[in-house]
Structures are given as structure tokens and as C-alpha cells.
Amino acid sequence: MTELVRGHWCECWTEDLTSGQPPALRAAFDAYSAPQADRWVAVTLRTISPALDSDASDVAWAWLSQGRMATRRALLRFEPCSVTITQDHTRITWTIRPVLFVPLAHRQRAELPSCAGGFKPHAAD
């Protein structure tokens, strides 16, 4: 990749509605097409739907059967979208935002600096 590429940044957030804590990022995915982005949400919803209560399951299947096409059309227009379901006291939100992916240097042919091996990610505040 040597130039900017249009795509979608997808995230899944959960929020415990009883704790007062901010939402937590659970997963992120870089999609290079609208179908790939909405498929990420669809696969997840189909996977968890058997464990959802009837209200949350109804919301999930309504999006899968009707809302998904509206989401796909919005993504093709390069507009952000979200899907939210609430199960008991947990809100799950999938967001899809249009992005431009920036090309990065190919690291396999270059020598990394000696400090690269010592990098340890820190916990978020």
C-alpha cells in the first residue's frame, strides 16, 4: 500500500449500565469495504443471538433482517453507523466509521531499532 486507502474502522464497545463506569472497547477491526464492515457486525450478532434475552434478540434480528441494508447503504456513502443492543444491564454498541488508511513503512526489510524489542504496552488510565 503506497497511497491512502478508503475503508472503515469498526469497534465493539460494552457498557455496564449499573456501574457508572465508562464504556470499554472490546474489539476493533479494519475493514476495506462496506460489505466487510457490516459482515463483522452481522457475524457477531448471529454468534451471540442465542444467548440474548428475547428483547435484545429481537433488536439483533431486526437489524440483521432490515437494518443491515440501511447500514450498508450508509457505509457505501462513507457515513458512520452504529448498532446497539441492550442485554440485562449491559449495552453493546458496534460502531463503523469511514477512515483513510495511511500506508506504513514495510518493516520486514528494515532493521528495527534495538529498543523495539523492549516495548511493553501500558495499561490505559
Side-chain angles (χ1 to χ4, degrees), residues 60-111:
W61 285 103
W63 181 83
L64 287 164
S65 63
Q66 299 156 6
R68 186 174 180 191
M69 291 312 299
T71 297
R72 174 84 57 97
R73 285 191 296 274
L75 294 174
L76 289 170
R77 291 188 305 267
F78 223 52
E79 297 172 356
C81 298
S82 67
V83 178
T84 301
I85 62 170
T86 302
Q87 165 76 20
D88 292 327
H89 301 291
T90 303
R91 180 183 298 140
I92 306 169
T93 301
W94 292 267
T95 60
I96 306 170
R97 294 187 313 268
V99 295
L100 291 173
F101 291 110
V102 178
L104 300 176
H106 192 330
R107 297 190 316 164
Q108 292 178 346
R109 293 192 186 144
E111 181 85 22

mmCIF file of all heavy atoms in Angstrom, residues 60-111:
data_model
loop_
_atom_site.group_PDB
_atom_site.id
_atom_site.type_symbol
_atom_site.label_atom_id
_atom_site.label_comp_id
_atom_site.label_asym_id
_atom_site.label_seq_id
_atom_site.Cartn_x
_atom_site.Cartn_y
_atom_site.Cartn_z
ATOM 1 N N ALA A 60 -31.495 -7.492 17.635
ATOM 2 C CA ALA A 60 -30.418 -8.046 16.802
ATOM 3 C C ALA A 60 -30.967 -8.552 15.473
ATOM 4 O O ALA A 60 -30.438 -8.233 14.402
ATOM 5 C CB ALA A 60 -29.703 -9.166 17.551
ATOM 6 N N TRP A 61 -32.044 -9.340 15.522
ATOM 7 C CA TRP A 61 -32.587 -9.908 14.286
ATOM 8 C C TRP A 61 -33.275 -8.864 13.426
ATOM 9 O O TRP A 61 -33.296 -8.987 12.193
ATOM 10 C CB TRP A 61 -33.479 -11.102 14.595
ATOM 11 C CG TRP A 61 -32.615 -12.274 14.947
ATOM 12 C CD1 TRP A 61 -32.370 -12.769 16.188
ATOM 13 C CD2 TRP A 61 -31.818 -13.040 14.041
ATOM 14 N NE1 TRP A 61 -31.468 -13.812 16.112
ATOM 15 C CE2 TRP A 61 -31.117 -14.007 14.810
ATOM 16 C CE3 TRP A 61 -31.621 -13.025 12.664
ATOM 17 C CZ2 TRP A 61 -30.238 -14.930 14.242
ATOM 18 C CZ3 TRP A 61 -30.751 -13.943 12.095
ATOM 19 C CH2 TRP A 61 -30.075 -14.873 12.871
ATOM 20 N N ALA A 62 -33.810 -7.809 14.033
ATOM 21 C CA ALA A 62 -34.385 -6.717 13.236
ATOM 22 C C ALA A 62 -33.285 -6.041 12.421
ATOM 23 O O ALA A 62 -33.472 -5.720 11.241
ATOM 24 C CB ALA A 62 -35.084 -5.703 14.142
ATOM 25 N N TRP A 63 -32.124 -5.827 13.051
ATOM 26 C CA TRP A 63 -31.020 -5.222 12.302
ATOM 27 C C TRP A 63 -30.539 -6.188 11.220
ATOM 28 O O TRP A 63 -30.298 -5.770 10.073
ATOM 29 C CB TRP A 63 -29.856 -4.840 13.228
ATOM 30 C CG TRP A 63 -28.751 -4.194 12.447
ATOM 31 C CD1 TRP A 63 -28.667 -2.881 12.083
ATOM 32 C CD2 TRP A 63 -27.597 -4.834 11.882
ATOM 33 N NE1 TRP A 63 -27.534 -2.669 11.332
ATOM 34 C CE2 TRP A 63 -26.863 -3.858 11.196
ATOM 35 C CE3 TRP A 63 -27.115 -6.140 11.893
ATOM 36 C CZ2 TRP A 63 -25.678 -4.138 10.533
ATOM 37 C CZ3 TRP A 63 -25.934 -6.425 11.227
ATOM 38 C CH2 TRP A 63 -25.220 -5.427 10.555
ATOM 39 N N LEU A 64 -30.400 -7.464 11.567
ATOM 40 C CA LEU A 64 -29.925 -8.445 10.586
ATOM 41 C C LEU A 64 -30.867 -8.563 9.390
ATOM 42 O O LEU A 64 -30.416 -8.718 8.248
ATOM 43 C CB LEU A 64 -29.740 -9.812 11.248
ATOM 44 C CG LEU A 64 -28.532 -9.930 12.164
ATOM 45 C CD1 LEU A 64 -28.653 -11.156 13.056
ATOM 46 C CD2 LEU A 64 -27.243 -9.974 11.351
ATOM 47 N N SER A 65 -32.179 -8.463 9.634
ATOM 48 C CA SER A 65 -33.128 -8.664 8.537
ATOM 49 C C SER A 65 -33.506 -7.385 7.803
ATOM 50 O O SER A 65 -33.847 -7.439 6.626
ATOM 51 C CB SER A 65 -34.387 -9.352 9.057
ATOM 52 O OG SER A 65 -35.038 -8.538 9.997
ATOM 53 N N GLN A 66 -33.448 -6.226 8.485
ATOM 54 C CA GLN A 66 -33.876 -4.983 7.847
ATOM 55 C C GLN A 66 -32.834 -3.881 7.935
ATOM 56 O O GLN A 66 -32.568 -3.197 6.954
ATOM 57 C CB GLN A 66 -35.176 -4.494 8.484
ATOM 58 C CG GLN A 66 -36.297 -5.476 8.334
ATOM 59 C CD GLN A 66 -37.360 -5.306 9.418
ATOM 60 O OE1 GLN A 66 -37.295 -4.386 10.214
ATOM 61 N NE2 GLN A 66 -38.317 -6.208 9.446
ATOM 62 N N GLY A 67 -32.268 -3.690 9.099
ATOM 63 C CA GLY A 67 -31.344 -2.574 9.315
ATOM 64 C C GLY A 67 -30.007 -2.726 8.626
ATOM 65 O O GLY A 67 -29.345 -1.732 8.320
ATOM 66 N N ARG A 68 -29.641 -3.942 8.349
ATOM 67 C CA ARG A 68 -28.328 -4.165 7.734
ATOM 68 C C ARG A 68 -28.228 -3.496 6.364
ATOM 69 O O ARG A 68 -27.181 -2.937 6.018
ATOM 70 C CB ARG A 68 -28.061 -5.658 7.625
ATOM 71 C CG ARG A 68 -26.681 -5.972 7.129
ATOM 72 C CD ARG A 68 -26.391 -7.449 7.173
ATOM 73 N NE ARG A 68 -25.051 -7.707 6.686
ATOM 74 C CZ ARG A 68 -24.593 -8.900 6.417
ATOM 75 N NH1 ARG A 68 -25.346 -9.963 6.622
ATOM 76 N NH2 ARG A 68 -23.366 -9.055 5.958
ATOM 77 N N MET A 69 -29.289 -3.542 5.583
ATOM 78 C CA MET A 69 -29.248 -2.919 4.257
ATOM 79 C C MET A 69 -29.123 -1.398 4.364
ATOM 80 O O MET A 69 -28.390 -0.780 3.593
ATOM 81 C CB MET A 69 -30.479 -3.307 3.431
ATOM 82 C CG MET A 69 -30.481 -4.781 3.033
ATOM 83 S SD MET A 69 -28.905 -5.392 2.329
ATOM 84 C CE MET A 69 -28.732 -4.363 0.902
ATOM 85 N N ALA A 70 -29.805 -0.791 5.328
ATOM 86 C CA ALA A 70 -29.663 0.655 5.536
ATOM 87 C C ALA A 70 -28.239 0.988 5.970
ATOM 88 O O ALA A 70 -27.662 1.988 5.533
ATOM 89 C CB ALA A 70 -30.674 1.141 6.570
ATOM 90 N N THR A 71 -27.680 0.137 6.828
ATOM 91 C CA THR A 71 -26.289 0.329 7.248
ATOM 92 C C THR A 71 -25.356 0.234 6.054
ATOM 93 O O THR A 71 -24.470 1.071 5.873
ATOM 94 C CB THR A 71 -25.905 -0.713 8.320
ATOM 95 O OG1 THR A 71 -26.717 -0.507 9.474
ATOM 96 C CG2 THR A 71 -24.440 -0.614 8.694
ATOM 97 N N ARG A 72 -25.560 -0.777 5.210
ATOM 98 C CA ARG A 72 -24.704 -0.954 4.032
ATOM 99 C C ARG A 72 -24.786 0.256 3.116
ATOM 100 O O ARG A 72 -23.769 0.744 2.632
ATOM 101 C CB ARG A 72 -25.124 -2.222 3.294
ATOM 102 C CG ARG A 72 -24.432 -2.477 1.968
ATOM 103 C CD ARG A 72 -23.093 -3.166 2.048
ATOM 104 N NE ARG A 72 -23.109 -4.427 2.715
ATOM 105 C CZ ARG A 72 -23.189 -5.606 2.119
ATOM 106 N NH1 ARG A 72 -23.284 -5.693 0.811
ATOM 107 N NH2 ARG A 72 -23.145 -6.709 2.831
ATOM 108 N N ARG A 73 -25.993 0.766 2.887
ATOM 109 C CA ARG A 73 -26.140 1.948 2.019
ATOM 110 C C ARG A 73 -25.410 3.149 2.613
ATOM 111 O O ARG A 73 -24.740 3.895 1.900
ATOM 112 C CB ARG A 73 -27.618 2.257 1.790
ATOM 113 C CG ARG A 73 -28.291 1.305 0.807
ATOM 114 C CD ARG A 73 -29.678 1.790 0.402
ATOM 115 N NE ARG A 73 -30.620 1.822 1.519
ATOM 116 C CZ ARG A 73 -31.355 0.801 1.927
ATOM 117 N NH1 ARG A 73 -31.255 -0.360 1.314
ATOM 118 N NH2 ARG A 73 -32.190 0.934 2.933
ATOM 119 N N ALA A 74 -25.526 3.352 3.929
ATOM 120 C CA ALA A 74 -24.827 4.467 4.577
ATOM 121 C C ALA A 74 -23.309 4.297 4.457
ATOM 122 O O ALA A 74 -22.596 5.263 4.179
ATOM 123 C CB ALA A 74 -25.238 4.565 6.036
ATOM 124 N N LEU A 75 -22.834 3.071 4.637
ATOM 125 C CA LEU A 75 -21.397 2.839 4.525
ATOM 126 C C LEU A 75 -20.898 3.092 3.110
ATOM 127 O O LEU A 75 -19.796 3.621 2.911
ATOM 128 C CB LEU A 75 -21.058 1.411 4.960
ATOM 129 C CG LEU A 75 -21.288 1.090 6.432
ATOM 130 C CD1 LEU A 75 -21.043 -0.393 6.698
ATOM 131 C CD2 LEU A 75 -20.429 1.959 7.325
ATOM 132 N N LEU A 76 -21.687 2.735 2.129
ATOM 133 C CA LEU A 76 -21.301 2.998 0.734
ATOM 134 C C LEU A 76 -21.251 4.497 0.443
ATOM 135 O O LEU A 76 -20.530 4.933 -0.447
ATOM 136 C CB LEU A 76 -22.254 2.286 -0.224
ATOM 137 C CG LEU A 76 -22.111 0.762 -0.248
ATOM 138 C CD1 LEU A 76 -23.252 0.133 -1.043
ATOM 139 C CD2 LEU A 76 -20.755 0.348 -0.796
ATOM 140 N N ARG A 77 -22.015 5.283 1.212
ATOM 141 C CA ARG A 77 -21.952 6.759 1.109
ATOM 142 C C ARG A 77 -20.838 7.316 1.993
ATOM 143 O O ARG A 77 -20.677 8.521 2.107
ATOM 144 C CB ARG A 77 -23.292 7.378 1.481
ATOM 145 C CG ARG A 77 -24.410 7.110 0.493
ATOM 146 C CD ARG A 77 -25.672 7.909 0.811
ATOM 147 N NE ARG A 77 -26.163 7.711 2.164
ATOM 148 C CZ ARG A 77 -27.090 6.812 2.525
ATOM 149 N NH1 ARG A 77 -27.621 6.023 1.614
ATOM 150 N NH2 ARG A 77 -27.478 6.717 3.778
ATOM 151 N N PHE A 78 -20.108 6.417 2.646
ATOM 152 C CA PHE A 78 -18.994 6.784 3.528
ATOM 153 C C PHE A 78 -19.493 7.572 4.734
ATOM 154 O O PHE A 78 -18.887 8.550 5.164
ATOM 155 C CB PHE A 78 -17.921 7.543 2.755
ATOM 156 C CG PHE A 78 -16.517 7.098 3.083
ATOM 157 C CD1 PHE A 78 -16.157 5.764 3.025
ATOM 158 C CD2 PHE A 78 -15.558 8.010 3.464
ATOM 159 C CE1 PHE A 78 -14.869 5.359 3.330
ATOM 160 C CE2 PHE A 78 -14.270 7.618 3.775
ATOM 161 C CZ PHE A 78 -13.927 6.284 3.702
ATOM 162 N N GLU A 79 -20.619 7.125 5.307
ATOM 163 C CA GLU A 79 -21.200 7.730 6.503
ATOM 164 C C GLU A 79 -20.999 6.789 7.695
ATOM 165 O O GLU A 79 -21.027 5.566 7.530
ATOM 166 C CB GLU A 79 -22.695 7.969 6.312
ATOM 167 C CG GLU A 79 -23.012 8.946 5.207
ATOM 168 C CD GLU A 79 -24.502 9.018 4.893
ATOM 169 O OE1 GLU A 79 -25.288 8.244 5.488
ATOM 170 O OE2 GLU A 79 -24.874 9.846 4.052
ATOM 171 N N PRO A 80 -20.825 7.323 8.901
ATOM 172 C CA PRO A 80 -20.675 6.463 10.081
ATOM 173 C C PRO A 80 -22.001 5.802 10.450
ATOM 174 O O PRO A 80 -23.079 6.324 10.153
ATOM 175 C CB PRO A 80 -20.220 7.437 11.170
ATOM 176 C CG PRO A 80 -20.717 8.768 10.723
ATOM 177 C CD PRO A 80 -20.739 8.740 9.220
ATOM 178 N N CYS A 81 -21.901 4.645 11.093
ATOM 179 C CA CYS A 81 -23.084 3.889 11.513
ATOM 180 C C CYS A 81 -22.817 3.256 12.870
ATOM 181 O O CYS A 81 -21.667 3.067 13.265
ATOM 182 C CB CYS A 81 -23.380 2.759 10.529
ATOM 183 S SG CYS A 81 -23.738 3.320 8.887
ATOM 184 N N SER A 82 -23.899 2.888 13.539
ATOM 185 C CA SER A 82 -23.758 2.136 14.781
ATOM 186 C C SER A 82 -24.954 1.213 14.959
ATOM 187 O O SER A 82 -26.036 1.465 14.417
ATOM 188 C CB SER A 82 -23.602 3.053 15.988
ATOM 189 O OG SER A 82 -24.780 3.773 16.207
ATOM 190 N N VAL A 83 -24.727 0.144 15.702
ATOM 191 C CA VAL A 83 -25.764 -0.818 16.062
ATOM 192 C C VAL A 83 -25.640 -1.031 17.561
ATOM 193 O O VAL A 83 -24.532 -1.285 18.057
ATOM 194 C CB VAL A 83 -25.567 -2.164 15.327
ATOM 195 C CG1 VAL A 83 -26.627 -3.170 15.736
ATOM 196 C CG2 VAL A 83 -25.537 -1.957 13.825
ATOM 197 N N THR A 84 -26.754 -0.922 18.288
ATOM 198 C CA THR A 84 -26.723 -1.073 19.740
ATOM 199 C C THR A 84 -27.791 -2.043 20.191
ATOM 200 O O THR A 84 -28.940 -1.962 19.728
ATOM 201 C CB THR A 84 -26.930 0.286 20.436
ATOM 202 O OG1 THR A 84 -25.901 1.179 20.032
ATOM 203 C CG2 THR A 84 -26.916 0.144 21.950
ATOM 204 N N ILE A 85 -27.413 -2.947 21.092
ATOM 205 C CA ILE A 85 -28.386 -3.809 21.768
ATOM 206 C C ILE A 85 -28.117 -3.729 23.263
ATOM 207 O O ILE A 85 -26.996 -3.427 23.694
ATOM 208 C CB ILE A 85 -28.324 -5.278 21.288
ATOM 209 C CG1 ILE A 85 -26.968 -5.890 21.589
ATOM 210 C CG2 ILE A 85 -28.678 -5.396 19.825
ATOM 211 C CD1 ILE A 85 -26.937 -7.399 21.368
ATOM 212 N N THR A 86 -29.153 -3.969 24.044
ATOM 213 C CA THR A 86 -29.005 -3.976 25.499
ATOM 214 C C THR A 86 -29.494 -5.311 26.021
ATOM 215 O O THR A 86 -30.610 -5.739 25.731
ATOM 216 C CB THR A 86 -29.806 -2.829 26.143
ATOM 217 O OG1 THR A 86 -29.350 -1.596 25.580
ATOM 218 C CG2 THR A 86 -29.611 -2.799 27.649
ATOM 219 N N GLN A 87 -28.618 -5.966 26.767
ATOM 220 C CA GLN A 87 -28.901 -7.263 27.382
ATOM 221 C C GLN A 87 -28.776 -7.073 28.884
ATOM 222 O O GLN A 87 -27.690 -6.745 29.369
ATOM 223 C CB GLN A 87 -27.901 -8.308 26.873
ATOM 224 C CG GLN A 87 -27.832 -9.589 27.647
ATOM 225 C CD GLN A 87 -29.009 -10.512 27.367
ATOM 226 O OE1 GLN A 87 -29.683 -10.389 26.371
ATOM 227 N NE2 GLN A 87 -29.259 -11.431 28.270
ATOM 228 N N ASP A 88 -29.872 -7.270 29.606
ATOM 229 C CA ASP A 88 -29.888 -7.028 31.051
ATOM 230 C C ASP A 88 -29.358 -5.631 31.330
ATOM 231 O O ASP A 88 -29.951 -4.661 30.919
ATOM 232 C CB ASP A 88 -29.105 -8.104 31.808
ATOM 233 C CG ASP A 88 -29.790 -9.460 31.749
ATOM 234 O OD1 ASP A 88 -31.031 -9.493 31.724
ATOM 235 O OD2 ASP A 88 -29.080 -10.479 31.702
ATOM 236 N N HIS A 89 -28.204 -5.535 31.993
ATOM 237 C CA HIS A 89 -27.627 -4.235 32.345
ATOM 238 C C HIS A 89 -26.400 -3.908 31.504
ATOM 239 O O HIS A 89 -25.592 -3.063 31.884
ATOM 240 C CB HIS A 89 -27.259 -4.199 33.826
ATOM 241 C CG HIS A 89 -28.431 -4.449 34.723
ATOM 242 N ND1 HIS A 89 -29.460 -3.550 34.858
ATOM 243 C CD2 HIS A 89 -28.757 -5.507 35.492
ATOM 244 C CE1 HIS A 89 -30.364 -4.043 35.688
ATOM 245 N NE2 HIS A 89 -29.966 -5.229 36.087
ATOM 246 N N THR A 90 -26.258 -4.586 30.362
ATOM 247 C CA THR A 90 -25.102 -4.363 29.502
ATOM 248 C C THR A 90 -25.549 -3.836 28.147
ATOM 249 O O THR A 90 -26.401 -4.424 27.488
ATOM 250 C CB THR A 90 -24.308 -5.672 29.293
ATOM 251 O OG1 THR A 90 -23.914 -6.176 30.570
ATOM 252 C CG2 THR A 90 -23.084 -5.439 28.437
ATOM 253 N N ARG A 91 -24.955 -2.717 27.759
ATOM 254 C CA ARG A 91 -25.194 -2.147 26.431
ATOM 255 C C ARG A 91 -23.991 -2.501 25.563
ATOM 256 O O ARG A 91 -22.847 -2.277 25.943
ATOM 257 C CB ARG A 91 -25.345 -0.631 26.510
ATOM 258 C CG ARG A 91 -25.588 -0.003 25.143
ATOM 259 C CD ARG A 91 -25.668 1.510 25.216
ATOM 260 N NE ARG A 91 -26.802 1.896 26.054
ATOM 261 C CZ ARG A 91 -26.772 2.906 26.922
ATOM 262 N NH1 ARG A 91 -25.686 3.610 27.102
ATOM 263 N NH2 ARG A 91 -27.836 3.203 27.627
ATOM 264 N N ILE A 92 -24.269 -3.053 24.393
ATOM 265 C CA ILE A 92 -23.213 -3.401 23.434
ATOM 266 C C ILE A 92 -23.440 -2.538 22.199
ATOM 267 O O ILE A 92 -24.541 -2.528 21.636
ATOM 268 C CB ILE A 92 -23.255 -4.886 23.043
ATOM 269 C CG1 ILE A 92 -23.223 -5.776 24.283
ATOM 270 C CG2 ILE A 92 -22.084 -5.222 22.108
ATOM 271 C CD1 ILE A 92 -23.529 -7.241 23.997
ATOM 272 N N THR A 93 -22.403 -1.833 21.786
ATOM 273 C CA THR A 93 -22.507 -0.951 20.624
ATOM 274 C C THR A 93 -21.375 -1.253 19.652
ATOM 275 O O THR A 93 -20.205 -1.281 20.044
ATOM 276 C CB THR A 93 -22.438 0.530 21.040
ATOM 277 O OG1 THR A 93 -23.504 0.801 21.960
ATOM 278 C CG2 THR A 93 -22.570 1.451 19.831
ATOM 279 N N TRP A 94 -21.756 -1.480 18.401
ATOM 280 C CA TRP A 94 -20.784 -1.618 17.322
ATOM 281 C C TRP A 94 -20.807 -0.319 16.541
ATOM 282 O O TRP A 94 -21.881 0.160 16.153
ATOM 283 C CB TRP A 94 -21.161 -2.766 16.392
ATOM 284 C CG TRP A 94 -21.041 -4.105 17.016
ATOM 285 C CD1 TRP A 94 -19.956 -4.937 16.971
ATOM 286 C CD2 TRP A 94 -22.028 -4.795 17.791
ATOM 287 N NE1 TRP A 94 -20.217 -6.092 17.679
ATOM 288 C CE2 TRP A 94 -21.482 -6.030 18.183
ATOM 289 C CE3 TRP A 94 -23.329 -4.482 18.192
ATOM 290 C CZ2 TRP A 94 -22.181 -6.949 18.951
ATOM 291 C CZ3 TRP A 94 -24.033 -5.384 18.964
ATOM 292 C CH2 TRP A 94 -23.468 -6.613 19.329
ATOM 293 N N THR A 95 -19.653 0.269 16.328
ATOM 294 C CA THR A 95 -19.555 1.498 15.545
ATOM 295 C C THR A 95 -18.722 1.219 14.306
ATOM 296 O O THR A 95 -17.767 0.432 14.347
ATOM 297 C CB THR A 95 -18.910 2.647 16.337
ATOM 298 O OG1 THR A 95 -17.589 2.276 16.725
ATOM 299 C CG2 THR A 95 -19.718 2.999 17.573
ATOM 300 N N ILE A 96 -19.095 1.867 13.223
ATOM 301 C CA ILE A 96 -18.347 1.762 11.969
ATOM 302 C C ILE A 96 -18.169 3.181 11.457
ATOM 303 O O ILE A 96 -19.148 3.886 11.223
ATOM 304 C CB ILE A 96 -19.099 0.913 10.924
ATOM 305 C CG1 ILE A 96 -19.456 -0.461 11.488
ATOM 306 C CG2 ILE A 96 -18.272 0.787 9.648
ATOM 307 C CD1 ILE A 96 -20.402 -1.260 10.613
ATOM 308 N N ARG A 97 -16.904 3.592 11.332
ATOM 309 C CA ARG A 97 -16.607 4.954 10.890
ATOM 310 C C ARG A 97 -15.763 4.923 9.626
ATOM 311 O O ARG A 97 -14.843 4.107 9.514
ATOM 312 C CB ARG A 97 -15.846 5.712 11.972
ATOM 313 C CG ARG A 97 -16.644 5.948 13.225
ATOM 314 C CD ARG A 97 -15.898 6.844 14.204
ATOM 315 N NE ARG A 97 -14.516 6.491 14.423
ATOM 316 C CZ ARG A 97 -14.094 5.687 15.393
ATOM 317 N NH1 ARG A 97 -14.931 5.139 16.234
ATOM 318 N NH2 ARG A 97 -12.805 5.443 15.539
ATOM 319 N N PRO A 98 -16.040 5.819 8.685
ATOM 320 C CA PRO A 98 -15.197 5.904 7.496
ATOM 321 C C PRO A 98 -13.818 6.442 7.879
ATOM 322 O O PRO A 98 -13.698 7.319 8.740
ATOM 323 C CB PRO A 98 -15.942 6.876 6.587
ATOM 324 C CG PRO A 98 -16.822 7.660 7.496
ATOM 325 C CD PRO A 98 -17.132 6.799 8.673
ATOM 326 N N VAL A 99 -12.802 5.889 7.250
ATOM 327 C CA VAL A 99 -11.436 6.321 7.515
ATOM 328 C C VAL A 99 -10.634 6.287 6.226
ATOM 329 O O VAL A 99 -11.034 5.678 5.236
ATOM 330 C CB VAL A 99 -10.727 5.418 8.565
ATOM 331 C CG1 VAL A 99 -11.388 5.511 9.924
ATOM 332 C CG2 VAL A 99 -10.660 3.979 8.099
ATOM 333 N N LEU A 100 -9.487 6.932 6.283
ATOM 334 C CA LEU A 100 -8.466 6.787 5.253
ATOM 335 C C LEU A 100 -7.295 6.081 5.912
ATOM 336 O O LEU A 100 -6.721 6.597 6.873
ATOM 337 C CB LEU A 100 -8.038 8.151 4.705
ATOM 338 C CG LEU A 100 -9.090 8.887 3.880
ATOM 339 C CD1 LEU A 100 -8.606 10.289 3.541
ATOM 340 C CD2 LEU A 100 -9.404 8.113 2.611
ATOM 341 N N PHE A 101 -6.970 4.903 5.421
ATOM 342 C CA PHE A 101 -5.836 4.170 5.971
ATOM 343 C C PHE A 101 -4.555 4.732 5.370
ATOM 344 O O PHE A 101 -4.437 4.898 4.157
ATOM 345 C CB PHE A 101 -5.942 2.672 5.664
ATOM 346 C CG PHE A 101 -7.067 1.999 6.405
ATOM 347 C CD1 PHE A 101 -8.194 1.556 5.736
ATOM 348 C CD2 PHE A 101 -6.991 1.821 7.774
ATOM 349 C CE1 PHE A 101 -9.226 0.936 6.416
ATOM 350 C CE2 PHE A 101 -8.030 1.203 8.471
ATOM 351 C CZ PHE A 101 -9.148 0.759 7.788
ATOM 352 N N VAL A 102 -3.608 5.032 6.243
ATOM 353 C CA VAL A 102 -2.330 5.616 5.847
ATOM 354 C C VAL A 102 -1.326 4.488 5.646
ATOM 355 O O VAL A 102 -1.205 3.594 6.493
ATOM 356 C CB VAL A 102 -1.830 6.590 6.941
ATOM 357 C CG1 VAL A 102 -0.482 7.165 6.583
ATOM 358 C CG2 VAL A 102 -2.849 7.680 7.182
ATOM 359 N N PRO A 103 -0.586 4.500 4.546
ATOM 360 C CA PRO A 103 0.412 3.443 4.350
ATOM 361 C C PRO A 103 1.538 3.583 5.378
ATOM 362 O O PRO A 103 1.936 4.691 5.739
ATOM 363 C CB PRO A 103 0.925 3.692 2.933
ATOM 364 C CG PRO A 103 0.626 5.124 2.657
ATOM 365 C CD PRO A 103 -0.600 5.469 3.462
ATOM 366 N N LEU A 104 2.008 2.459 5.849
ATOM 367 C CA LEU A 104 3.112 2.443 6.804
ATOM 368 C C LEU A 104 4.339 1.846 6.141
ATOM 369 O O LEU A 104 4.238 1.107 5.157
ATOM 370 C CB LEU A 104 2.730 1.619 8.043
ATOM 371 C CG LEU A 104 1.515 2.128 8.805
ATOM 372 C CD1 LEU A 104 1.176 1.171 9.937
ATOM 373 C CD2 LEU A 104 1.793 3.516 9.353
ATOM 374 N N ALA A 105 5.484 2.142 6.685
ATOM 375 C CA ALA A 105 6.726 1.579 6.154
ATOM 376 C C ALA A 105 6.712 0.069 6.316
ATOM 377 O O ALA A 105 6.256 -0.456 7.324
ATOM 378 C CB ALA A 105 7.923 2.183 6.888
ATOM 379 N N HIS A 106 7.214 -0.624 5.323
ATOM 380 C CA HIS A 106 7.312 -2.077 5.384
ATOM 381 C C HIS A 106 8.465 -2.425 6.321
ATOM 382 O O HIS A 106 9.613 -2.129 6.037
ATOM 383 C CB HIS A 106 7.568 -2.632 3.986
ATOM 384 C CG HIS A 106 7.409 -4.103 3.887
ATOM 385 N ND1 HIS A 106 7.644 -4.977 4.915
ATOM 386 C CD2 HIS A 106 7.015 -4.872 2.848
ATOM 387 C CE1 HIS A 106 7.429 -6.207 4.525
ATOM 388 N NE2 HIS A 106 7.044 -6.173 3.272
ATOM 389 N N ARG A 107 8.174 -3.054 7.450
ATOM 390 C CA ARG A 107 9.188 -3.268 8.474
ATOM 391 C C ARG A 107 9.976 -4.557 8.274
ATOM 392 O O ARG A 107 10.962 -4.777 8.947
ATOM 393 C CB ARG A 107 8.542 -3.277 9.856
ATOM 394 C CG ARG A 107 7.921 -1.955 10.184
ATOM 395 C CD ARG A 107 7.498 -1.833 11.603
ATOM 396 N NE ARG A 107 6.821 -3.013 12.108
ATOM 397 C CZ ARG A 107 6.632 -3.251 13.382
ATOM 398 N NH1 ARG A 107 7.041 -2.412 14.284
ATOM 399 N NH2 ARG A 107 6.010 -4.334 13.785
ATOM 400 N N GLN A 108 9.569 -5.435 7.388
ATOM 401 C CA GLN A 108 10.277 -6.700 7.248
ATOM 402 C C GLN A 108 11.637 -6.533 6.583
ATOM 403 O O GLN A 108 12.509 -7.354 6.761
ATOM 404 C CB GLN A 108 9.426 -7.701 6.473
ATOM 405 C CG GLN A 108 8.202 -8.116 7.268
ATOM 406 C CD GLN A 108 7.324 -9.076 6.494
ATOM 407 O OE1 GLN A 108 7.479 -9.238 5.298
ATOM 408 N NE2 GLN A 108 6.396 -9.705 7.194
ATOM 409 N N ARG A 109 11.805 -5.501 5.820
ATOM 410 C CA ARG A 109 13.086 -5.305 5.131
ATOM 411 C C ARG A 109 13.996 -4.319 5.850
ATOM 412 O O ARG A 109 15.098 -4.081 5.416
ATOM 413 C CB ARG A 109 12.823 -4.797 3.720
ATOM 414 C CG ARG A 109 12.143 -5.838 2.869
ATOM 415 C CD ARG A 109 12.166 -5.431 1.427
ATOM 416 N NE ARG A 109 11.382 -6.386 0.664
ATOM 417 C CZ ARG A 109 10.644 -6.095 -0.362
ATOM 418 N NH1 ARG A 109 10.572 -4.853 -0.780
ATOM 419 N NH2 ARG A 109 9.970 -7.018 -0.995
ATOM 420 N N ALA A 110 13.520 -3.742 6.925
ATOM 421 C CA ALA A 110 14.321 -2.749 7.634
ATOM 422 C C ALA A 110 14.691 -3.283 9.015
ATOM 423 O O ALA A 110 13.952 -4.049 9.615
ATOM 424 C CB ALA A 110 13.546 -1.450 7.776
ATOM 425 N N GLU A 111 15.806 -2.864 9.486
ATOM 426 C CA GLU A 111 16.258 -3.216 10.828
ATOM 427 C C GLU A 111 15.518 -2.336 11.823
ATOM 428 O O GLU A 111 15.557 -1.113 11.731
ATOM 429 C CB GLU A 111 17.766 -2.975 10.930
ATOM 430 C CG GLU A 111 18.361 -3.331 12.252
ATOM 431 C CD GLU A 111 18.706 -4.805 12.336
ATOM 432 O OE1 GLU A 111 18.872 -5.436 11.297
ATOM 433 O OE2 GLU A 111 18.805 -5.304 13.459
#
